[in-house]
Amino acid sequence: MAPPDLPLFERDREQAVLSAVIGELRSGRPALVTVTGEPGLGQNELLRWAAGQARDRGVHVLAARATSAEHELRYGVVAQLLAPEDRDIATRLFVAPQRPGGLPGLNHLLTACHDRPTLLVVQDVQWLDPASLRWLEALARRLPRAPLALLTSTTGTAIDRPEWSVGTPLTGLASTIELALPPLTTSGVSAAVRTVCGVPGDTDFTHALAQATRGVPAVVHEVLLRFTRTGCAPRAEHVEHLRTLTAEVVGDHAAQALSELRDPVAVDVLRALAVCGDLLDFPLVCTLAGLHPVPEARLRATLMASGLLTPRDGSPPGHDAVVRARILEEMPAADRADLYARAARLAQRVAVADQGIAELLLRARPVGAPWAVATLRRGFAAALRSGRRDRATAYLARALDEPLRSEERARVELQLASVQMVTAPTAAERRLHGLIRSTGTGTGLRSQAVDLCLLGGDTRAARLAQPTGPGTLGDPAPCDADVPAPRLGSGTGSPPGRRARAVAGDATAPRGGNTSDPAHRDGADEHPERTATADNDATVSERDELATVGERHELATVSERHELIALLRVARFLRHEETCPGVPPAPALPEHSHSPAVAGVRAWEHAMAGVHLEASRRLARAAFAPDPGGRPPLVTPRLFACRALFLTDDGDEAEAHLATLLNEAHRQRAAIAIAHVLAVRADLHLRHGRPDAAARDLAAAEAELPPARLHPLFVPYWASLNLVADLQNGRPDRAREIAARPVPSLSEECATSAYLLFARGVLARSEDDPQRARAYFRACGRWLLHYGCVNPAVLPWRSLAAEAAHALGDDAEALRLTREEVRLAARWGTRSALGRAELGLAVVIRENRTEHFRAAVATLSESPARTDYTRAVLELASAESAEAERRTALALTSRRASTAGGVAPGPLPGFSQALPAPAGVPPGRGAAPHPRPPAGWPALSPAEHETALLAASGLANREIATTLSVTTRAVELRLSGVYRKLRIRGREELRALRYGPEGG
């Protein structure tokens, strides 16, 4: 309750009414006043103030207070009222037998009131004992006969509602008033802050206090007293501390009210309400509390009178979170868990929403029913849909406390780990390692666990899955020869294994039947040949069934071994640990396997080596075929298969597969898989010249997997994607910030470091720093070669390093690198890789540069490499301008428009290479000098820059639109921006600026 010195803030209206009642009482006019409101609103303080005012005016005052402890004490309140008039009244009331209809002391009180006006003050009438209630109701009916006023206070609904507020003929002559106290407004709270703290409070502080305390004066006063003891000023920076103090005060008030609640049935119902009052209506809550003789209405009134519950819009009473927690803290832990379990069963029977039941199960003991696990898993899915990952993991962790079959438990563990990979990666790895080491894990779960570990960056898991003894992962012979992969549905008749086991079974079959069985003996004597045939058929049937089970087990074993080898090869690529002592080399992939995982990883390895283009394409497509044994598909091998399709110029097909992977990951709510698929698709967008789409995918990936949760093995790859996307989207400052950002030490040990080195080289190239660019491209090449990657389609570091060397005057190195890239690209065989290599050679070579540019344009025109093709056209136009042969570039562009047809915009090798900067690239030795750019040329955006160059080369708007894969309207808008920034009036002035003598 509120301290006695609590100021009566915002109670002016009520004080005025009580002053008027006291004044009329002195004139002989009786009154009956009831002050109501929630606990803590100051009802009793207001009554004490009125009693003091009455004494000051010469009114005789008799006061009493009802309590829950004296609720069963007969005439407890009457004894308090009459004790000042008669000291022996208590003995007579408590000891003397009660007479029917007797009202002890009432007539004497009414007689005395005729001589002096009297004010009766009774606090907390909700706790009146029945005898005192009848006595006060009789007094209320007699009020018109004497100058007497009855002033009472109550919280909520009284247990037995007094009838003195009813306008009977007797009470109609007396003033009947009910004053309902409201909470403090913000102004009242502000006044309380100024009074208690001595200084005005900040607006944010005052609003936070009003919201946390709900304007209850007792809570406001106590919180401010505790706050001032800490020595803090009422400022906004202390709001969190204020909320903490408020929770403590509210909890203390709840504990005090709970200790005063003496009725055990009410306590049980209160605890049941604290558990599930928001899910079940009041009658069901009473049922949960157990059978009891107390009527529901009386229980509701008792709980309301305690102040622990408040009505909410006519719905069943509810708890404040702090009050609910304090109520449940008073229970023993075992009783609390049992109450939650019983509440969950009841909620399940009345079809409460899954998440509501799941919340109950979180705090309940194991219920041992199948519906509990199913409900928790549905609650897990619903929590993930709403973005509450922590709550989702709590649901699945609780499901593991229920009795589960081993395979079902493993599936729940795997599902839980897939979410914990984002929220708690260390716990997820520990859980997955347990699944990998387990021998009783179901079909495909060990492979899925390793796959999930690889997505999280844990390459040790693939080593943990390595079996011991014959047929280990370190020895691929059993996979290739000793254990041939079964071919499903490839022929008729019994498989060889079944026939062999059938023969072995025939050799050990029983002969003549079982003579100890009388029924069998009688049948054999009657029809010996039929009995022998039936026994033989039954034996063959049993052997066939056993053979089928054995073959399925053998198929599952072989498939799992192949998947684990494929995943181990992926781990080897991500982190090359074979140079570490005690780490055996990764086994080769099996030559004959029906596993899609093996096909995906083999496709990537072919692409890395730059050999077997058609085989790589075929294997990448096979990675998305269903597994013959029905095993669940793995994510990592299919991601590598998509990356292999990037390199085979099948980007559209890869994008379709990535969309399928993304939909699948969304259905499974696997955030880490979603993030990796989005990152790979961002890589595809960059290769296809769509940096805006890449930026969107990268932002979505970071929303699923925050950078702080990203494993160090993947930090370089993601950083490189963000760097190049920002660079191509015209945000060089952000690109520089990403390039300068330090990476974890472990990141320097993985293959993805090459991508970040390449991206930093592209940034240095865009900043006209060939020295630094060449250093980065060389380091990228060394790292790729260390991991066995020689295909220039992965990252064209040779040609870009050659361009940097050419700019530095080292033509010998430039020619060596470009010719090597041409040779390797020709061996790989895609138009994109070969065209890029030819373009790099044309940039650095001295002789026949124009012819080399023409060859690059011709090759790239048949490839999907849109940005490289545009650059080649620009370079060719620039080279031809010196020879006055610009018609060739126009003809080639027209041929591109007529022959490209439905070819999609092309990818860049690893990342889109930046077009020459608006200021021009520094010419190398032996190359025709580029004209000096006009004023305003550096202000052009990259899109305006390439459009201006093509227009200056003589291309029409429609041809420019075809070359850049944009609309004609977009070309017109870009050229308008160019004319405005360069302060020229049209295409002719643009051509003069680009090629005229003033440009030189």
Side-chain angles (χ1 to χ4, degrees):
M1 302 304 295
D5 57 347
L6 178 68
L8 295 173
F9 294 113
E10 297 185 330
R11 298 294 182 254
D12 297 337
R13 181 183 66 87
E14 291 80 4
Q15 289 173 324
V17 171
L18 293 178
S19 295
V21 168
I22 294 171
E24 292 181 354
L25 179 61
R26 296 185 63 211
S27 302
R29 182 163 184 180
L32 195 153
V33 182
T34 303
V35 182
T36 64
E38 296 180 19
L41 291 181
Q43 298 93 315
N44 293 339
E45 284 70 27
L46 193 60
L47 264 62
R48 284 193 288 268
W49 176 87
Q53 292 290 316
R55 292 190 185 97
D56 293 342
R57 298 185 185 185
V59 176
H60 183 54
V61 178
L62 300 177
R65 181 181 180 183
T67 63
S68 60
E70 297 180 355
H71 176 61
E72 301 299 331
L73 180 63
R74 187 180 63 172
Y75 292 120
V77 170
V78 174
Q80 295 181 52
L81 287 173
L82 301 181
E85 304 294 326
D86 186 356
R87 295 183 177 180
D88 298 330
I89 189 67
T91 303
R92 295 197 303 272
L93 290 176
F94 299 155
V95 176
Q98 182 178 5
R99 293 178 299 171
L103 297 170
L106 180 58
N107 292 331
H108 176 75
L109 175 64
L110 293 173
T111 302
C113 289
H114 286 286
D115 298 332
R116 54 181 179 178
T118 303
L119 175 67
L120 271 64
V121 179
V122 182
Q123 300 178 21
D124 298 329
V125 295
Q126 71 271 12
W127 299 118
L128 280 173
D129 61 275
S132 296
L133 177 62
R134 289 194 301 273
W135 193 93
L136 288 174
E137 288 176 347
L139 174 66
R141 288 194 295 270
R142 292 167 173 78
L143 282 181
R145 304 177 186 176
L148 187 145
L150 177 60
L151 176 59
T152 63
S153 68
T154 180
T155 57
T157 304
I159 297 175
D160 292 315
R161 178 69 177 176
E163 296 181 358
W164 50 65
S165 60
V166 180
T168 63
L170 291 177
T171 60
L173 300 177
S175 300
T176 304
I177 303 170
E178 182 171 354
L179 300 176
L181 300 183
L184 296 179
T185 64
T186 305
S187 299
V189 174
S190 179
V193 172
R194 185 168 51 254
T195 301
V196 178
C197 299
V199 294
D202 285 351
T203 303
D204 294 340
F205 182 90
T206 303
H207 281 291
L209 179 61
Q211 182 180 15
T213 61
R214 294 188 296 119
V216 178
V219 180
V220 170
H221 189 254
E222 181 65 24
V223 169
L224 289 175
L225 287 177
R226 296 189 186 186
F227 183 80
T228 54
R229 294 191 194 108
T230 63
C232 298
R235 298 289 181 263
E237 57 266 24
H238 302 301
V239 167
E240 290 301 323
H241 179 52
L242 175 73
R243 291 195 177 103
T244 302
L245 290 177
T246 304
E248 294 177 359
V249 172
V250 172
D252 292 344
H253 285 206
Q256 178 66 24
L258 186 62
S259 65
E260 296 175 355
L261 193 60
R262 305 292 179 173
D263 188 352
V265 176
V267 173
D268 290 341
V269 174
L270 184 66
R271 290 171 173 174
L273 277 170
V275 168
C276 57
D278 293 337
L279 299 176
L280 305 177
D281 55 16
F282 194 75
L284 287 174
V285 171
C286 294
T287 302
L288 178 64
L291 299 176
H292 49 76
V294 183
E296 178 186 321
R298 184 176 181 85
L299 276 174
R300 188 190 296 270
T302 301
L303 296 177
M304 296 286 288
S306 69
L308 294 169
L309 302 178
T310 55
R312 294 182 179 176
D313 302 329
S315 61
H319 296 280
D320 183 86
V322 177
V323 176
R324 180 180 303 188
R326 187 59 66 94
I327 291 172
L328 294 176
E329 284 175 3
E330 302 295 327
M331 295 182 65
D335 294 346
R336 184 167 58 245
D338 181 71
L339 179 59
Y340 271 108
R342 290 188 288 112
R345 288 196 187 94
L346 181 59
Q348 195 269 340
R349 286 200 296 271
V350 297
V352 173
D354 287 333
Q355 280 195 281
I357 303 175
E359 285 293 323
L360 296 174
L361 290 171
L362 277 182
R363 300 167 181 83
R365 58 170 175 75
V367 298
W371 60 263
V373 177
T375 302
L376 287 167
R377 296 184 75 172
R378 290 194 298 268
F380 159 82
L384 281 185
R385 283 194 298 270
S386 60
R388 302 165 61 208
R389 287 177 179 162
D390 291 340
R391 184 58 70 187
T393 56
Y395 289 154
L396 280 191
R398 171 61 183 82
L400 293 174
D401 294 336
E402 297 290 333
L404 296 170
R405 293 180 292 105
S406 59
E407 184 171 350
E408 186 179 6
R409 179 174 296 276
R411 293 189 183 280
V412 175
E413 293 263 13
L414 185 68
Q415 195 173 22
L416 175 58
S418 68
V419 181
Q420 286 183 327
M421 271 295 180
V422 176
T423 60
T426 303
E429 289 179 8
R430 187 164 55 247
R431 195 178 300 278
L432 291 173
H433 288 181
L435 285 177
I436 293 169
R437 291 190 181 99
S438 175
T439 58
T441 305
T443 303
L445 292 182
R446 293 183 72 225
S447 301
Q448 287 182 283
V450 177
D451 183 36
L452 190 54
C453 283
L454 289 178
L455 291 175
D458 178 18
T459 57
R460 297 172 301 163
R463 298 285 179 187
L464 290 177
Q466 182 173 353
T468 58
T472 63
L473 294 183
D475 181 13
C479 301
D480 297 341
D482 297 343
V483 186
R487 297 181 178 271
L488 300 181
S490 58
T492 59
S494 299
R498 179 181 298 181
R499 287 197 300 268
R501 283 186 291 271
V503 172
D506 289 342
T508 57
R511 299 180 181 179
N514 184 2
T515 57
S516 62
D517 186 354
H520 179 79
R521 185 176 59 248
D522 294 342
D525 293 341
E526 186 175 355
H527 301 286
E529 69 285 350
R530 185 182 304 173
T531 303
T533 302
D535 288 346
N536 187 53
D537 291 343
T539 303
V540 172
S541 176
E542 292 174 2
R543 284 199 303 269
D544 288 346
E545 184 177 354
L546 292 175
T548 302
V549 173
E551 287 170 2
R552 290 175 181 172
H553 178 71
E554 179 183 351
L555 175 61
T557 303
V558 172
S559 299
E560 183 179 80
R561 185 183 298 117
H562 288 187
E563 287 177 346
L564 294 177
I565 291 175
L567 295 173
L568 185 56
R569 299 290 296 183
V570 172
R572 175 185 178 275
F573 168 73
L574 292 177
R575 189 179 181 190
H576 206 164
E577 298 177 315
E578 295 181 356
T579 57
C580 300
V583 178
L589 290 170
E591 292 294 336
H592 305 288
S593 176
H594 296 285
S595 172
V598 172
V601 176
R602 185 180 290 280
W604 173 248
E605 291 189 350
H606 284 336
M608 289 275 289
V611 294
H612 310 312
L613 172 65
E614 291 302 326
S616 178
R617 180 180 287 123
R618 174 178 52 80
L619 289 168
R621 291 167 177 167
F624 295 92
D627 187 89
R631 298 173 65 82
L634 304 179
V635 176
T636 305
R638 289 185 290 170
L639 282 179
F640 276 89
C642 287
R643 296 172 68 178
L645 289 173
F646 295 176
L647 308 182
T648 60
D649 281 356
D650 297 297
D652 290 343
E653 186 175 349
E655 189 170 6
H657 289 310
L658 286 173
T660 301
L661 279 173
L662 190 61
N663 291 335
E664 177 184 303
H666 275 297
R667 285 196 305 271
Q668 297 174 354
R669 308 292 175 186
I672 193 166
I674 294 171
H676 279 285
V677 173
L678 288 171
V680 174
R681 194 169 71 174
D683 189 351
L684 173 63
H685 288 318
L686 289 175
R687 292 171 181 269
H688 280 213
R690 298 192 292 264
D692 52 344
R696 288 193 297 270
D697 274 352
L698 288 172
E702 291 181 358
E704 295 287 342
L705 180 61
R709 297 288 188 181
L710 187 62
H711 195 276
L713 289 182
F714 300 114
V715 168
Y717 182 59
W718 285 43
S720 63
L721 295 174
N722 279 285
L723 191 157
V724 176
D726 286 335
L727 192 62
Q728 293 188 6
N729 283 318
R731 295 189 289 265
D733 293 339
R734 290 181 55 180
R736 294 188 194 98
E737 179 186 350
I738 295 173
R741 194 177 299 163
V743 295
S745 57
L746 182 60
S747 300
E748 300 174 356
E749 304 176 10
C750 61
T752 58
S753 297
Y755 287 84
L756 183 56
L757 292 170
F758 185 86
R760 286 172 173 169
V762 171
L763 177 62
R765 179 172 179 266
S766 69
E767 296 175 342
D768 295 336
D769 189 348
Q771 187 73 35
R772 191 159 52 95
R774 180 169 69 168
Y776 278 127
F777 290 135
R778 281 176 169 178
C780 169
R782 286 192 297 269
W783 206 245
L784 288 175
L785 294 176
H786 174 71
Y787 279 88
C789 178
V790 297
N791 191 350
V794 178
L795 292 174
W797 62 271
R798 295 177 182 83
S799 59
L800 296 184
E803 291 185 24
H806 178 64
L808 294 172
D810 192 351
D811 291 345
E813 181 185 2
L815 287 173
R816 178 181 62 80
L817 289 172
T818 52
R819 285 170 177 165
E820 182 181 1
E821 181 163 327
V822 169
R823 177 180 62 83
L824 294 173
R827 186 181 71 171
W828 177 235
T830 60
R831 288 288 180 176
S832 296
L834 183 58
R836 281 190 294 266
E838 291 174 344
L839 178 59
L841 178 62
V843 170
V844 303
I845 201 169
R846 294 186 181 183
E847 298 82 8
N848 299 324
R849 295 181 72 247
T850 304
E851 294 301 324
H852 285 289
F853 278 128
R854 288 182 182 135
V857 170
T859 303
L860 289 171
S861 67
E862 300 177 5
S863 77
R866 184 193 69 180
T867 311
D868 287 308
Y869 173 75
T870 303
R871 184 190 174 209
V873 170
L874 294 175
E875 293 284 358
L876 177 58
S878 178
E880 288 181 340
S881 65
E883 304 174 3
E885 296 178 358
R886 282 168 282 175
R887 288 291 181 181
T888 305
L890 179 59
L892 287 172
T893 304
S894 300
R895 190 180 72 178
R896 160 72 170 180
S898 61
T899 60
V903 178
L908 284 176
F911 305 101
S912 295
Q913 303 175 20
L915 290 172
V921 177
R925 295 192 312 173
H930 291 285
R932 185 176 64 242
W937 190 262
L940 301 182
S941 67
E944 292 172 339
H945 167 238
E946 62 181 359
T947 304
L949 288 179
L950 291 174
S953 300
L955 274 67
N957 287 357
R958 186 181 300 277
E959 294 167 331
I960 296 174
T962 303
T963 302
L964 299 181
S965 297
V966 296
T967 63
T968 306
R969 178 60 178 164
V971 175
E972 294 172 353
L973 292 175
R974 291 181 185 181
L975 288 177
S976 297
V978 170
Y979 300 153
R980 184 180 65 258
K981 293 178 181 179
L982 298 183
R983 297 182 180 180
I984 59 178
R985 288 176 293 181
R987 187 182 294 259
E988 292 302 322
E989 292 187 32
L990 178 64
R991 291 169 60 86
L993 285 175
R994 178 68 177 87
Y995 300 108
E998 66 271 25

